[in-house]
Amino acid sequence: ALIILFLGIFFFFFFFFPSTIVTNQWFLPAVRGDIPPGCAAHGFVCDGTRILVFGGMVEYGRYSNDLYELQASRWLWKKVKPQAPSTGSPPCPRLGHSFSLYGNKCYLFGGLANESEDSNNNVPRYLNDFYELELQHGSGVVGWSIPVTKGILPSPRESHTAIVYCRKDLGSPKMYIFGGMCGCRLNDLWELDIETMTWSRPETKGTVPLPRSLHTANVIGNKMYVFGGWVPQSAGGDISAHDGEWKCTGSFSYLNLDTTEWIGLISDCQEDKSNLLPGPRAGHCAVAVGTRLYIWSGRDGYRKAWNNQVCCKDLWYLDTEKPPAPSQVQLIRATTNSFQVKWDEVPTVEGYLLQLHADSPVPSVAGIPGTGVPETSVLSSQGSSQMTLLSLSSNSLLKVEGKEKVAAPENKITQETMKNHADATGFKESNAPSLLDRQWYDVGIFKNNSAVVSQFYLLPEETLSISNKVMESADVPDYRLLKKQDLLPGTVYRFRVAAINGCGVGPFSKISEFKTCIPGFPGAPSTVKITKSVDCIHLSWEPPASPSGNILEYSAYLAIRSTQLQENPSQLVFMRIYCGLKTSCIVTAAQLSNAHVDYTSRPAIVFRISAKNERGYGPATQVRWLQGKVGVRRSIYMGCSGENGVLCL
């Protein structure tokens, strides 16, 4: 039973700390404090970086109504004691209840209680009571209350699901309760308007899923995804007074919460001879991370016999839609023939497609075998988790099977998840040239959110417009068969990047534009440090790794507020705040008061530092000084300094 509680903690980390589980490795946190006893069928919610656990079965016939809080930032458990309701009694010990969070309140509904005081003599009592728990910000709770509701209350039940959904265009949050168990399985849908506290039964369209209990329900966008559970053994899902025979199901449906229409994705009788789908199960865990749904464990079995049940140890995920556009490509370092670039991570993606467009003409070539794909740059299945792909309407379901290495071609994910480049949604930027006038070339597909770019791939002449035209069946090219083109010095290249998941290629980012260095000019300063004092900051840096002669001076610039910036937010205006031979300078409070705060990602003040030799100024290193945080981000830009000390790029 204790493992069941830890499963909840595991999925808490899926949601709030996705980077901690990219290795697909389990870990057991060293918790301390009021560690709760192992329990099953408890209520579990995540609020920021804390979790709340209520009730559950401690041992057979003995249920709990204790409330525990875990501060995951410190791995500290605390048993909390909410105030009792002003009218009525606090919730009784129970299991199989629903516990849902919205805002600063948790909503408790139903469950199963033991009428007998003797835990060995279990007398079940199904509940349909409804409680509200007010939370304190960050830690602690205020107390229970019993809201006065209108309408007909849902019938008593346990092992049901409850989710909260609020339409973007309408501000009234709704709680939806589906299915459960009350002597027989249920498949009724109930709605609670949280603002008016009114219960109702919405009319639905489509085929309602079979009656079930111990299933899961998760909200992604405007859809409630329902998977698995126990369903009646009787044919056609007929409901008897007490359906003593049941089976696990692997059926999968969603309810459009805006139109209340049920859509079936996997039927209960659908065969899966290739094991491309999660097997039938109940009592499993499911959590939504962005637009991806993860499903873990559960048990399978028929009838009531425990010796006929099998516990599952598999982890699956479902991509419900293409990923969003990443942030603009950022430049970290530029040389005469390469760029080191990065972009912000997009959660739960398989990789990124990076493309560039060159200002200089690029020759078209026939499809002649090239030198192959660099192992370090292109997304490969070598050494990564084995994945099996299945398309379900607009969804894609994959199974994660640990860290086993699999023998597969390097472009496996490219071919399976990117059916064609035309799947990628285009983008528009008002100050960018028409995309139809450009030819975009693939740099490659990258597993991480950074890349060193020194070459790009040339497409055969007959497929030159693959990225710009909508084609019916344009397969992703096999990069191993394509020629590569080196980057040229002093050339402007435009970049865009798109994220890839099981549904395909998402929309591209906005365009970024960088220029390779010109031979003979100094490189960009490096190792920039910012130290804050009471009334100023101290800016320091290291000389360029490639000075290309003697450094005559350095210039440091600060992005400032201006009317020009208001007219064109992407056009930063810089004021020179230092010019000299030293590799450090002081930025005064008066200068900082005129600084522009850049909000393209996290709020930051932007500095640029460049070096000058006999031929002139080289590229500038850009530093984003994050506000309220310790740390900087560094990029390199090509530009020129004006006589008045203002730099415009």
Side-chain angles (χ1 to χ4, degrees), residues 255-275:
L255 175 69
N256 185 313
L257 297 169
D258 293 336
T259 63
T260 62
E261 180 179 7
W262 286 103
I263 302 293
L265 297 175
I266 304 175
S267 67
D268 186 60
C269 58
Q270 183 169 331
E271 293 187 6
D272 181 31
K273 295 181 180 179
S274 301
N275 294 320

Side-chain angles (χ1 to χ4, degrees), residues 197-473:
M197 283 295 162
T198 302
W199 288 101
S200 62
R201 286 197 62 177
E203 294 184 5
T204 62
K205 295 170 284 187
T207 302
V208 180
L210 291 174
R212 66 192 61 213
S213 63
L214 284 175
H215 53 286
T216 53
N218 301 85
V219 176
I220 299 178
N222 66 340
K223 299 177 178 66
M224 179 179 75
Y225 289 88
V226 175
F227 174 75
W230 292 104
V231 297
Q233 178 71 40
S234 56
D238 295 334
I239 302 175
S240 60
H242 293 279
D243 56 346
E245 296 184 356
W246 57 82
K247 65 177 182 179
C248 282
T249 182
S251 58
F252 190 40
S253 304
Y254 72 78
L255 175 69
N256 185 313
L257 297 169
D258 293 336
T259 63
T260 62
E261 180 179 7
W262 286 103
I263 302 293
L265 297 175
I266 304 175
S267 67
D268 186 60
C269 58
Q270 183 169 331
E271 293 187 6
D272 181 31
K273 295 181 180 179
S274 301
N275 294 320
L276 297 177
L277 299 170
R281 66 193 67 204
H284 50 282
C285 297
V287 65
V289 182
T291 59
R292 176 176 285 183
L293 179 68
Y294 287 90
I295 298 170
W296 161 255
S297 192
R299 65 180 187 267
D300 182 18
Y302 295 88
R303 307 177 187 273
K304 280 189 176 180
W306 284 94
N307 57 359
N308 284 341
Q309 297 190 26
V310 178
C311 287
C312 307
K313 295 191 297 182
D314 49 354
L315 174 65
W316 296 76
Y317 63 85
L318 172 79
D319 284 317
T320 60
E321 59 185 57
K322 293 179 181 179
S327 65
Q328 281 183 280
V329 177
Q330 305 165 36
L331 185 63
I332 298 175
R333 184 179 297 277
T335 69
T336 56
N337 57 4
S338 70
F339 297 111
Q340 183 179 354
V341 297
K342 66 166 294 183
W343 51 91
D344 291 345
E345 285 186 346
V346 178
T348 64
V349 298
E350 303 302 322
Y352 303 90
L353 170 63
L354 181 64
Q355 292 185 334
L356 65 74
H357 165 76
D359 266 1
S360 59
V362 177
S364 60
V365 297
I368 304 173
T371 58
V373 180
E375 292 181 0
T376 57
S377 64
V378 177
L379 178 60
S380 168
S381 61
Q382 296 288 341
S384 63
S385 300
Q386 182 178 356
M387 288 168 288
T388 307
L389 179 68
L390 172 75
S391 295
L392 302 172
S393 302
S394 62
N395 307 303
S396 294
L397 188 66
L398 296 96
K399 181 181 180 181
V400 179
E401 297 182 345
K403 293 189 67 180
E404 297 179 4
K405 291 188 177 181
V406 291
E410 286 183 320
N411 62 338
K412 173 190 176 186
I413 293 180
T414 310
Q415 293 172 340
E416 290 189 343
T417 63
M418 297 171 50
K419 294 304 181 186
N420 53 67
H421 287 185
D423 283 345
T425 304
F427 66 93
K428 295 181 179 179
E429 190 176 17
S430 58
N431 59 346
S434 170
L435 293 181
L436 295 178
D437 298 330
R438 297 179 175 176
Q439 171 54 44
W440 290 97
Y441 297 91
D442 289 358
V443 177
I445 298 174
F446 299 86
K447 188 170 185 179
N448 300 316
N449 62 322
S450 62
V452 175
V453 182
S454 60
Q455 299 172 316
F456 56 92
Y457 292 95
L458 298 176
L459 293 172
E461 187 172 4
E462 63 270 17
T463 57
L464 268 178
S465 300
I466 189 172
S467 299
N468 297 333
K469 295 181 180 179
V470 178
M471 304 178 69
E472 292 298 326
S473 58

Side-chain angles (χ1 to χ4, degrees), residues 557 574 576 608 610 617-620 637-649:
Y557 301 87
F574 286 81
R576 183 153 60 185
R608 286 181 183 171
S610 59
Y617 273 96
Y637 285 78
M638 295 296 297
C640 58
S641 54
E643 293 300 322
N644 60 355
V646 175
L647 178 67
C648 300
L649 293 177

Side-chain angles (χ1 to χ4, degrees), residues 86-273:
S86 57
T87 59
S89 303
C92 66
R94 67 189 65 203
L95 63 75
H97 47 282
S98 58
F99 198 48
S100 308
L101 174 71
Y102 184 77
N104 68 330
K105 293 180 180 178
C106 291
Y107 297 95
L108 170 68
F109 177 80
L112 181 69
N114 186 1
E115 284 282 75
S116 174
E117 295 182 0
D118 181 8
S119 60
N120 295 320
N121 181 27
N122 194 9
V123 180
R125 176 168 64 94
Y126 294 97
L127 306 171
N128 67 340
D129 49 358
F130 180 60
Y131 287 86
E132 185 179 80
L133 175 66
E134 184 177 354
L135 309 181
Q136 292 179 345
H137 179 70
S139 178
V141 299
V142 178
W144 294 105
S145 62
I146 303 176
V148 177
T149 62
K150 295 173 280 188
I152 300 175
L153 205 64
S155 60
R157 66 192 65 205
E158 55 102 0
S159 298
H160 55 280
T161 54
I163 60 94
V164 178
Y165 170 69
C166 185
R167 288 182 59 167
K168 292 182 179 180
D169 55 342
L170 298 174
S172 181
K174 306 284 197 308
M175 184 170 77
Y176 293 89
I177 290 176
F178 175 71
M181 171 72 174
C182 183
C184 61
R185 266 67 191 174
L186 305 170
N187 66 344
D188 49 349
L189 179 71
W190 293 83
E191 177 187 285
L192 173 69
D193 188 310
I194 293 178
E195 286 189 352
T196 64
M197 283 295 162
T198 302
W199 288 101
S200 62
R201 286 197 62 177
E203 294 184 5
T204 62
K205 295 170 284 187
T207 302
V208 180
L210 291 174
R212 66 192 61 213
S213 63
L214 284 175
H215 53 286
T216 53
N218 301 85
V219 176
I220 299 178
N222 66 340
K223 299 177 178 66
M224 179 179 75
Y225 289 88
V226 175
F227 174 75
W230 292 104
V231 297
Q233 178 71 40
S234 56
D238 295 334
I239 302 175
S240 60
H242 293 279
D243 56 346
E245 296 184 356
W246 57 82
K247 65 177 182 179
C248 282
T249 182
S251 58
F252 190 40
S253 304
Y254 72 78
L255 175 69
N256 185 313
L257 297 169
D258 293 336
T259 63
T260 62
E261 180 179 7
W262 286 103
I263 302 293
L265 297 175
I266 304 175
S267 67
D268 186 60
C269 58
Q270 183 169 331
E271 293 187 6
D272 181 31
K273 295 181 180 179

